[in-house]
Amino acid sequence: MNRLCPNSLSTPTPWTMGDLELGVFQRVAKIAKQFADEFAIYDTDERVTYRQLLLEAELLAAQLNEVLTSYTAASMKNHRPDELAPIGLLLPPGANMVKAMLAILRLGRPYVPLDTSYPRERILAIAHHAGCALILTDRQGSLVDDIKVVCPVLLWPKAIEAGVEVNVLPTLPSALCNAYILYTSGSTGKPKGVYQDQRGLLHDVMQYSQAIGISHKDCFTGFYSPSVNGAIRDIWAALLNGASLVPAQPQVLGFVGMEDLVANYGVTVFHAIPPLLRAFLASEPDPRQLLSVRVCYIAGDKFYAREVADLYRVFPSHCQIYTGIGSTECATLYRHWLLDATTSLTTELLPAGFAIEDRTTYLIAEPIINPSATEIEKGATGFVQVGSAYLARGYWHEPDLTQQAFCQDAAQDKVRWFMPGDRFRELSDGLYEYLGRADSQIKVRGFRVDVSELERFSHAWLADRMGVTHPDVCKVVVWQPNVLEEPALVWVFATDVLDVLESETQQQKLAQELQAVLATQFSHAAQPQALLWHDKLPRLPNYKLDLQALKDWVSQQLMQVYASKQRVSDQLTLMQQVLDGFQVAKENATWAQQLITTWCDFFKVGLTSDMVSHSWEQVNADSLSIMNFFSELDNRLGIRTAYQDIPLPFSLGKLYDFIAENYNFSETNKLITADLVVVPPFVGLAGLPEFDHLLSANICLTKVPTTALYNPIGEMQPDLNEVVDKLVTYIQQLRHERPIYFYGVSSGAKPAFFAACRLQDLGIDVRTIFVGDAGPLGRAQHFGSERLRAFSWLTSDIPKFEGKVIEIIAMKDRPEPKNGMPIEEWNQYSPLGWFAYARDIAYLPVPADHVACLTSLRVMDAINAEATESTTTQVSYFSTDVSAAPAIKAYAHKLLLAQNALQQAEAVCWYEQFFMLSPELRHIYQFNLALARRRANRF
């Protein structure tokens, strides 16, 4: 067994504890002096020597400093006096990214790497949460325009490329200055940034350097995105040891390109996450291309012992495998070791390694951090906790979360403890055998079930039965339809891996065999509730399995089945008891059950015999949740509850009585000729009772609850595609065979538009979309508000709607108090921009502010006329094609001659539309636009 005996190419670059007291820039400067003309970075566009790297980083640091001093207040906003604001880097992986990182460390500030492949919303959310002093980028366009709302943007300075001299900074930063902020996944929650100081970064690189014997003759792959933890060691291990780095994106290179890169640059340290390495090995690379590799670094995901043989069929026999386990918070590994082709392995997974110097690890019985807890005996299963003076400093701008996650050692001032959530067994030789995550253990019907163990058993059985050893041949997913139900275990098989099964009958037979074996080996609580087949398991850009996407897919597959099977015999009996408590008349039983079921589903409460007296207080309902509840109830019952008229104090029994007295369900649907779907903004929709009252009785109103689409206010919202998927599913479950009209209110306009286009593609009759004072490109301004910062949907890839769009445009600004009195001011309103994505367009300017215009009488009249195809108050449409320009101009002239101020306001919109189609005529008719605007503003 090889603990740490590296096969170095040359004498390793020396490190001492004193090196940790220098800043990163000082260490690089020391290395650059020794290896000035050696190449530090091999980029696709350039080769950068250490001399050049140091000079350009120094120049860039000076330029950044000059920019920052021009707005000192902004650079310190939301930060403690001793905490310099970070600088964001929106740059592709390559030489410029590395130069910028070094330059920012030269300033004593932390850098925040932003992956250019991130969704626009995530980039904005991270930039805002980090409180970036500025974003450095080489990009231009709408994304950069949106970022400017969050913080200043600096384009990559041309002076760096031209070699312009600037004043070099006089002072060097301390090793205690913050180095970086890396953000963990935030696509389904609030972004969380882990930050580390320069001393911690240097310590991590020193440990890695000594572990594998890094020298100036080494060359590293740079396959990891700079925004993730894996890139720290690639970039800084090279630059802090005089070695070279080859940054490249595997998605761009392809597998052939990866092996060419190794051969062309003589790569000695090949670092890849196991899913990427596994896919690379499966591509059957030419072993002659990989002869230079002396270390294959594998970490970040499971790698099986049986896969070591596959690796050595491709990599040279002298190559060592360096592996271990860590976390961003532990910065980075807390266990590691080296092995080679002769190492004997007795566990299914590669062991996680031995303890690392200056990082104490031991196993305890419970997954609760406790530095004073007793270590369990060797061979037992436990949860690891890590203690060190070099852990990450915590979660950026999250002091409460940091205090919860990191625990100070009572005896050693500088040592803190962290529990990564990994579960192990210590083997007799001191290696840790990885057994899964702490959160992989769940309780089902009171019994503890280990999902990791179920997966391991299934993999072993499939390997024996089918000869298939791929680690992703099947996954066990925990699915819980709602908080009232027990979690269910679902086995998902990968069809592309089990391609030897040619028919569904063979697939079903295999699944049944596995199910029978599981029944003999595990308790009844650990049995599959479903066995599903997926064409190809979803993956993230870094090749890891996308577990959230897989869970969402499982939920979609099972939700309909679940809905048809839930609340069986015992639930039916209890429901009858509840109905008896309400004294429900026989003819009301169906809708009464819907009322009670909606209450239980929405507020996550169980059926109880005393439900008749349930109140808002008992379910902790606020105004938004009450509004959402009635939206959902009305959608299910097909009515419009005037909930403001329900006698107080409110109870569920009074709600039943109120509905029974005021609504005749036998007559409700006879008058309906069209469906109107109202899509709210994520903050909810005010004025719903008035909205209901003003809407024609011939329209079936569907008010989509915010809970059906969005996350709670204050959390990062789902991306647009996820919201649209939810909206389409919601509508398909409720809709009738009638024409559909959409009203997207404020920021709900965009998902409404996308959903309408999607439904059209499915052959559903969608007639018209009303968009409520929100443009198609989203609102970057949301990030200027604490309440709205997590919400933008600034997607610019917008489909074409083959129908009518009516733009509701607020003509006034929101009242702003001046000297204690609210003052309304006129907007310089213009078309919202939907004409570019619709077949026909109409404009409905409203003499009110953004909120008041959304449920104004003018809007309600237009919706009623449109959805009932009435000739009264109908708006005028024109085609968005350029050929319609003459007709639009003539109509605008006609409106200009009218005496009605609202017609003047509409003329403003049509003139703007005309200028968009015929920009060369703007100078001729600009006076007409100005005149219409002046007349309209007389309201």
Side-chain angles (χ1 to χ4, degrees), residues 1 17 32 216 286 296 335 504 566 639 664 678 740 798:
M1 181 181 300
M17 293 301 288
H216 68 282
D286 184 348
C296 186
R335 304 281 292 193
E504 288 187 13
Q566 64 179 334
I639 61 175
N664 185 340
V678 178
I740 295 180
I798 301 173

Side-chain angles (χ1 to χ4, degrees), residues 729-763:
T729 301
Y730 189 89
I731 294 168
Q732 287 177 317
Q733 291 173 345
L734 291 175
R735 84 173 227 69
H736 307 285
E737 295 302 321
R738 294 185 290 263
I740 295 180
Y741 297 79
F742 272 90
Y743 181 17
V745 181
S746 189
S747 50
K750 196 158 187 176
F753 186 89
F754 275 64
C757 294
R758 183 92 59 84
L759 292 171
Q760 267 195 345
D761 292 341
L762 296 174

Side-chain angles (χ1 to χ4, degrees), residues 88-145:
L89 297 175
L90 185 62
L91 297 165
N96 283 352
M97 172 65 90
V98 178
K99 294 173 191 175
M101 288 176 170
L102 187 57
I104 294 166
L105 294 180
R106 173 68 178 87
L107 292 172
R109 293 175 181 266
Y111 61 81
V112 183
L114 298 165
D115 195 311
T116 54
S117 67
Y118 280 166
R120 181 181 305 222
E121 296 83 1
R122 179 165 170 77
I123 291 173
L124 290 166
I126 290 174
H128 185 278
H129 182 270
C132 289
L134 62 81
I135 301 288
L136 180 62
T137 184
D138 59 358
R139 300 178 173 241
Q140 299 187 55
S142 60
L143 171 59
V144 174
D145 292 338

Side-chain angles (χ1 to χ4, degrees), residues 17 84 99 253 256 286 343 439 491 657 708 760 821 903:
M17 293 301 288
L84 290 176
K99 294 173 191 175
L253 282 180
V256 173
D286 184 348
T343 304
D439 49 18
W491 268 246
D657 293 339
Q760 267 195 345
M821 298 296 292
Q903 289 177 301

Side-chain angles (χ1 to χ4, degrees), residues 566-577 593 607:
Q566 64 179 334
R567 295 182 177 86
V568 287
S569 57
D570 56 335
Q571 291 289 75
L572 291 173
T573 302
L574 183 54
M575 174 63 82
Q576 188 56 56
Q577 294 174 0
Q593 287 188 46
L607 284 171

Side-chain angles (χ1 to χ4, degrees), residues 120-121 679-680 710 720 723-724 727 742-757 769-772 774-779 791-799 834 837:
R120 181 181 305 222
E121 296 83 1
V679 183
Y710 312 125
L720 182 62
V723 174
V724 174
L727 179 54
F742 272 90
Y743 181 17
V745 181
S746 189
S747 50
K750 196 158 187 176
F753 186 89
F754 275 64
C757 294
I769 306 172
F770 287 79
V771 291
L777 299 181
R779 291 186 175 188
F791 183 85
S792 67
W793 294 332
L794 300 168
T795 312
S796 57
D797 184 14
I798 301 173
W834 293 99
Y837 312 104

